[in-house]
Amino acid sequence: MSEKLRVAIIGTGARGTHTFGRLFSKRNDVEIAALCDTNSVRVRAAAEILGITPNFYSSIEEMAAAEKLDGVIITTPDCEHYSCAKKALNAGWNVLIDKPLATNAKDGKELIELAQKSGKTLMIGFNLRHSEVLKRLKSFIDDGTLGKVFIAENREFYDGGRTYMARWNRFFSKTGGLWIHKASHDFDIFNWLLGFPKPLRVSSFAAVNVLDENHLPFELEEGKKPGPDCNHCPYKDKCKDKFLLSEEELKLWGDKAVAEDGYVKNLCIYLSEKDNHDNGLAMVEYEGNIKVSLFEDFIGSKSDRIYTIGGDKAVAEVSLHNQTITITPRWGGEIVTYHVQIPPGGHGGADPSLVDTFCKVLRGEATSTSTAEHGLLATALGQAAEISRREHRMVEMSELL
Ligand SMILES: NC(=O)c1ccc[n+]([C@@H]2O[C@H](COP(=O)([O-])OP(=O)(O)OC[C@H]3O[C@@H](n4cnc5c(N)ncnc54)[C@H](O)[C@@H]3O)[C@@H](O)[C@H]2O)c1
């Protein structure tokens, strides 16, 4: 292995450029040797933003023919994860896929088999596991403070979720549904906190209640049509949900890039066509009578993940946003609130920690703890929740795993 790790980023959009690109380019033990994106404007804009001079590719096949790499990061839309990971593993590279593993369990299983055959690492970008708050919560479960956990809840409020409706994330065909795209993080956190009990069955309800044409946050004026995107919208000064692209973002998603592939980053979230939900509830039953519920609100009042974890010795209540964990013991013991310090960096310091772990894995100094098998479990739970909401039935996990 070369002294500097040679990595490539496949998919140079938001995560590829602003998260992984920035984090890798700041490290002196890593060289971003190549960038690969189907959009030639965006891939060059990414290099300009990062101030690097990598080789550019528009396909993994071309990159595989030319580059010796220690590892690649896949940050394409979810629907491309399967084919990109397959090509990357076949090229003999170690792979980090930003969550989710795939958009359905069948593709996920195939990737696991392929990774096993290739002998390469296939790691999933479950950055939430690197959250200091959730690591501390897990320590209270692992050291027995809560006793035997039998029930858990996560209420997620995500104001950035509104912008799902502005981009590819709004479509089932691109994501497998938001129960996979977004909730694979959260299903993985439940699995990880609880020590990976076997999930048995899932049910869910989800819908669009607010982000549709009936809820435009301004009065329409005669002859003035809103949209199609925020930068071009005549109501952009009035709209409370406008998402205007900055100068830097216009390099990645401006008219020149759009002319190539038609991908608009900031469509009107109310008028865009969509078939994914803006809010929902899902429940999972695990073996051992353990139950969890997940509440998702992408309408945009606030951002937080609020957990309640019930054990037979104590209950833990957590706010990721406030960085607090409150433990209330059974039978009237002292109630203690812990304030957890978090390091700088995206997602409460979790993104740099994820990147650091991937680098250690590439150097053989660590093994991946967010494995493809964990990715499959989270994807399958999300797929079950999607089937449940669309078919109005409870889904047995044995249908998918
Ligand atoms: N872990 C997290 O916290 C987190 C947060 C946001 C997004 N994500 C994940 O990151 C991934 C990327 O999301 P994003 O918001 O950055 O997307 P994005 O739309 O900003 O960027 C995707 C890029 O992939 C490119 N692309 C599409 N198909 C390609 C292909 N076959 N080969 C190469 N490039 C291709 C597009 O041109 C675009 O530049 C998604 O899988 C998403 O689920 C993870």
Side-chain angles (χ1 to χ4, degrees), residues 1-9 24 28-35 53-55 57 63 66-73 92-94 358-359 362-363:
M1 192 177 283
S2 52
E3 214 176 275
K4 275 195 177 198
L5 294 168
R6 284 173 57 80
V7 303
I9 298 172
F24 282 122
N28 51 22
D29 61 341
V30 175
E31 178 194 352
I32 302 178
L35 294 178
T53 52
N55 296 323
Y57 298 96
M63 188 160 78
E67 296 288 345
K68 268 195 92 162
L69 299 168
D70 296 311
V72 297
I73 297 86
W93 299 321
N94 296 298
F358 185 56
C359 292
L362 293 182
R363 289 195 183 283

Side-chain angles (χ1 to χ4, degrees), residues 10-17 20 36-39 42-43 58-60 74-81 83-84 87 97-100 125-128 158 164 167-169 181-182 185 252-253 261 263 265 347 351 354:
I10 300 170
T12 58
R15 285 289 280 177
T17 306
F20 290 99
C36 174
D37 198 293
T38 43
N39 188 301
R42 203 167 300 128
V43 77
S58 61
S59 76
I60 299 177
I74 297 176
T75 43
T76 63
D78 304 352
C79 57
E80 299 291 316
H81 287 188
S83 69
C84 289
K87 290 174 194 167
I97 308 184
D98 208 339
K99 62 84 209 161
F126 285 137
N127 45 355
L128 261 190
Y158 178 43
Y164 289 153
R167 7 186 207 126
W168 53 263
N169 317 53
H181 170 71
K182 180 62 175 168
H185 270 313
L252 291 166
W253 292 291
D261 58 10
Y263 173 31
K265 186 76 171 177
H347 292 99
D351 287 333
L354 169 69

Side-chain angles (χ1 to χ4, degrees), residues 377-394:
L377 262 183
T379 296
L381 283 164
Q383 188 178 357
E386 279 298 326
I387 296 171
S388 173
R389 92 155 176 109
R390 283 158 201 276
E391 298 183 7
H392 307 290
R393 67 180 177 94
M394 188 157 72

